[in-house]
Structure formats: structure tokens, C-alpha cells
Amino acid sequence: MADHTPAERLHGLDALRGGALLLGVVLHAAMAYLTLPVWPVGDAASEPAADALFFGIHLFRMSAFFLIAGLFGHMLLSRRGWGGFIRDRLSRIALPLVVFWPLVFAGIIAVILWKAALANGGTLPTGGTPPPPLTVETFPLTHLWFLWVLLILYVGLLALRAVVALNRSGLLGRTLDRTAGGAIGLWSPALFAAPLALVLSATPDWYAFFGVPTPDYGPVPNAAALTAFGLAFLAGVFLDRRRDLLKRLERAWAPLSLVAVLSGVAAYVATGGSAPVLEPIEGQAKVIAAWTYALALFASTFAVTALALRFASGHSRLRHYLADASYWTYIVHLPLVMVGHVLLADLAWPWFAKLAAVTFGVLAVCLITYELLVRHTFMGRWLNGRAVPWGRPRPAASPLPAE
């Protein structure tokens, strides 16, 4: 019952994957202007509108990314087999994590020290509380945590594939496909939200405004992150096994979008978004926030997927280019965003002007370096699966993008 169309490139989902990564630049650029002091190079030009922008992007961005990663990952495994899949993922996911993490982390620390020196008259302050010792549990994955979580989910995908393959009668595969058919539809947000809501309700010291706790420290993702992103990844696997479900999802774009907006507003209120605080919530308020947020997360995830299928399914050279550039952009953007925050900190600009300057400035740097250093070189073959010769556009039927 699994329906694979290897020659088809899913342009809408490719664009959604790239858009989710590029929105990371906007998200991190907005963090300096939140009313909560959570950013190491924050800015005095903070506004509640920045809180709302952050909340809206953070609500669906990574779950949508992992849904697309599940679909493309299952597609890649079906096309290339175990050996090809493992080699590709080690080269394009594991190796970039190993190579770029030290560079990114060094850049982040350098900007934080620069900011501290500026605040101390040009020299680094002495004394103060020493940083906590670095342990396995406190190892900072930075924003590259998504690569580590992807590798964990790929192991789960291979395990699922092995179990299905060992069932020679095919009963398990047919059951999985029937399960996919029952899981994808107008009811998907509520169905997928239930496990996440239970986990969030049981998460100690949950800061509701920030939704799913980011698994950016240590090798073991927290239960809420593994649940949210694992379920989104599984939804992507379902959609690749049953390509007919993509049409079902596409047809539901309007009601899914309505549910996403209504539940998103409710989640913003329930999690304290109108007056966010850096305090965990407890009791009945926590339960309400957990269920509301979980529903909003999956409603918005399925809604943006349906919208991408409905309105971005045609080939666009611009969307295709940005999707290809998004992987490189997301890897290198965070230190650059922080540099922008430091450079603009003393300017008396409104927050939205600073946000726009940082966002477009960083995107410009990332896209220029992508064009000059990555797209046409060995790094293009490494990160995107293929280098494009100078002066020749990449064909529409190019290999699968890095997800």
C-alpha cells in the first residue's frame, strides 16, 4: 500500500524545509528584543510584539522541519537502501555536526566575550562566578542540536525498517500503512497532541512560554523534545509510505489553518505570552497550557505542511535556491546574528528596525558565502549532495536536499 514516486520532487515540502531553517534566523534575531532577559547579548529595545513574533515562529518551526525530515529520510532509505542511506546521513548530517560545532561554539563564545568587554570599558571583567564544569550532561550542542536529534531519529527509522523487513508476510507493513491512513487527516492535530500534552504536563520546571524545551545540552534529548519531534518525524514517515495522504492533507489546508490560528492564540494566552515570566507554572494552569500548546503545535505543523502542498507545489528557482542555501545558512548564522546584536545595541532604533537589519544583514552574508564558498564547490557536494557548476543552474530534479 506504500506509494512511492521516486521521480517526483516535492517542491512544496522542499520549500517548507528550507523556510523552517531560514525562519531560525528571524527567531534568533528576535530573541535580543524579548521582554524576558534570556539572550546573552540582549538589547534594551525590547517589546511585547517581539515576544509574540518569537512565540509564533517557535510554535511550529522545528516540528514542521522534523515532519519533512521524516518524509525525506524515509524516501532516501527507500531509494538508496541501508548502505546508501547510512553513508549519506553520516556525510551530510553527522560530519557537519562534528566539523562545524567547534567553529560555531568558538564564534558564540567570542561574541559573548566581546560584549562583556564593551560593557566593561574595553577589557574583560575579572572575578565573578566561574562557569559550571563541563560534563556530558551539560555539553552545549548550541543550535546544532537538531543534527544530533536527527541522527537519533534516523536510528529509530532504521530500527522500524528492520522490524518491517523481518516480517516476511508483510502484515506489519500493511498494518503500518493502515495506521498511517487513520492518523493523517483533520483529526491529526488532536491525535498527535495527546502524547505531547501528557509529557509536557509531567515535565518539571516547565517554562510554558518557550514551549517544547530545546534539547541543546547533553546527548540525551529531554522527553518533551523527543516526543514532539519524534511524533512529527513519524508523521513524515507515514506521509512518504502513503503518498495519497498528501492529497488528503492538502485538501484540509483551510480548516487546519483555522484550527492552527485559534489554538495558537489560545496557547499564547495559556502560556502567559501576553505577560511572559521566567517562572515554571504548576497545577491546573500547567495542564491547560500543556494541552493547549500541544494542540497548537501540531495544528500549526500540519497546517503549514498543507499550505506548502497547496500553494508552493510548483517549481520555483528562487524557492529552490533558498531551500538549497538554507542548510548552510542555518549552520553558520547564530554567531553572525549575535554580532549584529552587539553592533546595533547602542543605536536608538526601534526594535523592528534592528530586527530587520540583523535578519537581512545575516541572510545577505550567508547567501553570498553560500554562492561563493559552497554551491559550486566540494562543500556543495558535501552539504547538498551535488555541486552546481559555475554558470549552470541546478536542474529541478536534483538529488534530495539535506534535511
Side-chain angles (χ1 to χ4, degrees):
M1 199 168 180
D3 177 20
H4 299 291
T5 53
E8 176 188 6
R9 185 181 179 97
L10 299 172
H11 296 291
L13 299 186
D14 194 16
L16 177 59
R17 177 195 60 83
L21 291 178
L22 294 177
L23 276 175
V25 180
V26 184
L27 180 90
H28 291 128
M31 290 191 72
Y33 312 109
L34 300 182
T35 57
L36 298 173
V38 295
W39 198 238
V41 288
D43 193 296
S46 59
E47 287 288 339
D51 298 338
L53 176 65
F54 169 86
F55 184 90
I57 295 175
H58 190 57
L59 182 62
F60 72 90
R61 187 179 67 89
M62 290 313 299
S63 50
F65 170 84
F66 279 103
L67 185 150
I68 304 306
L71 189 153
F72 283 156
H74 188 271
M75 185 197 308
L76 185 68
L77 180 57
S78 299
R79 288 182 177 182
R80 300 191 182 180
W82 285 64
F85 177 85
I86 292 173
R87 287 191 298 270
D88 184 273
R89 298 297 83 184
L90 288 177
S91 173
R92 296 169 64 188
I93 301 297
L95 189 57
L97 175 60
V98 172
V99 171
F100 287 109
W101 179 86
L103 303 176
V104 168
F105 185 68
I108 291 171
I109 296 300
V111 178
I112 292 174
L113 293 177
W114 176 34
K115 175 73 171 179
L118 290 176
N120 195 51
T123 60
L124 288 174
T126 57
T129 305
L134 185 64
T135 65
V136 173
E137 290 75 17
T138 62
F139 185 84
L141 292 168
T142 71
H143 66 298
L144 301 184
W145 62 263
F146 81 105
L147 296 175
W148 178 247
V149 174
L150 266 180
L151 292 172
I152 294 173
L153 294 177
Y154 288 144
V155 172
L157 174 61
L158 290 173
L160 176 64
R161 185 66 169 238
V163 172
V164 172
L166 289 173
N167 182 240
R168 296 186 180 276
S169 69
L171 176 61
L172 188 56
R174 292 192 297 272
T175 301
L176 188 61
D177 290 334
R178 285 195 293 269
T179 302
I184 303 300
L186 284 174
W187 51 90
S188 294
L191 182 65
F192 282 84
L196 176 59
L198 292 173
V199 174
L200 288 176
S201 298
T203 300
D205 298 327
W206 179 46
Y207 295 87
F209 175 75
F210 292 97
V212 177
T214 305
D216 51 359
Y217 285 94
V220 181
N222 63 75
L226 202 56
T227 301
F229 304 140
L231 286 171
F233 188 90
L234 179 62
V237 172
F238 284 165
L239 288 169
D240 188 55
R241 288 189 64 88
R242 289 279 307 274
R243 287 294 185 86
D244 58 301
L245 298 176
L246 291 174
K247 282 296 182 184
R248 180 190 293 179
L249 196 60
E250 179 183 345
R251 288 192 297 267
W253 70 268
L256 284 172
S257 299
L258 179 61
V259 174
V261 171
L262 295 178
S263 60
V265 172
Y268 184 69
V269 174
T271 59
S274 55
V277 293
L278 275 177
E279 295 177 2
I281 59 176
E282 299 295 341
Q284 184 179 8
K286 181 178 183 180
V287 174
I288 294 173
W291 283 87
T292 308
Y293 191 90
L295 177 62
L297 182 147
F298 280 107
S300 57
T301 298
F302 284 108
V304 295
T305 304
L307 288 167
L309 291 168
R310 176 65 179 83
F311 296 104
S313 59
H315 173 61
S316 163
R317 290 183 63 179
L318 176 60
R319 289 199 302 266
H320 186 76
Y321 185 93
L322 292 176
D324 283 348
S326 64
Y327 190 24
W328 164 257
T329 298
Y330 194 75
I331 287 174
V332 302
H333 82 280
L334 190 55
L336 300 175
V337 166
M338 297 173 69
V339 167
H341 288 153
V342 175
L343 291 175
L344 299 182
D346 294 331
L347 298 181
W349 292 5
W351 75 273
F352 55 85
K354 291 185 176 183
L355 172 66
V358 172
T359 299
F360 288 109
V362 169
L363 286 176
V365 171
C366 290
L367 292 177
I368 290 171
T369 54
Y370 169 74
E371 179 65 27
L372 296 179
L373 303 178
V374 178
R375 181 173 171 83
H376 308 286
T377 71
F378 75 95
M379 291 185 67
R381 289 192 299 272
W382 173 27
L383 296 179
N384 287 346
R386 180 177 181 271
V388 179
W390 286 98
R392 185 188 307 170
R394 174 175 290 190
S398 62
L400 288 173
E403 58 275 354

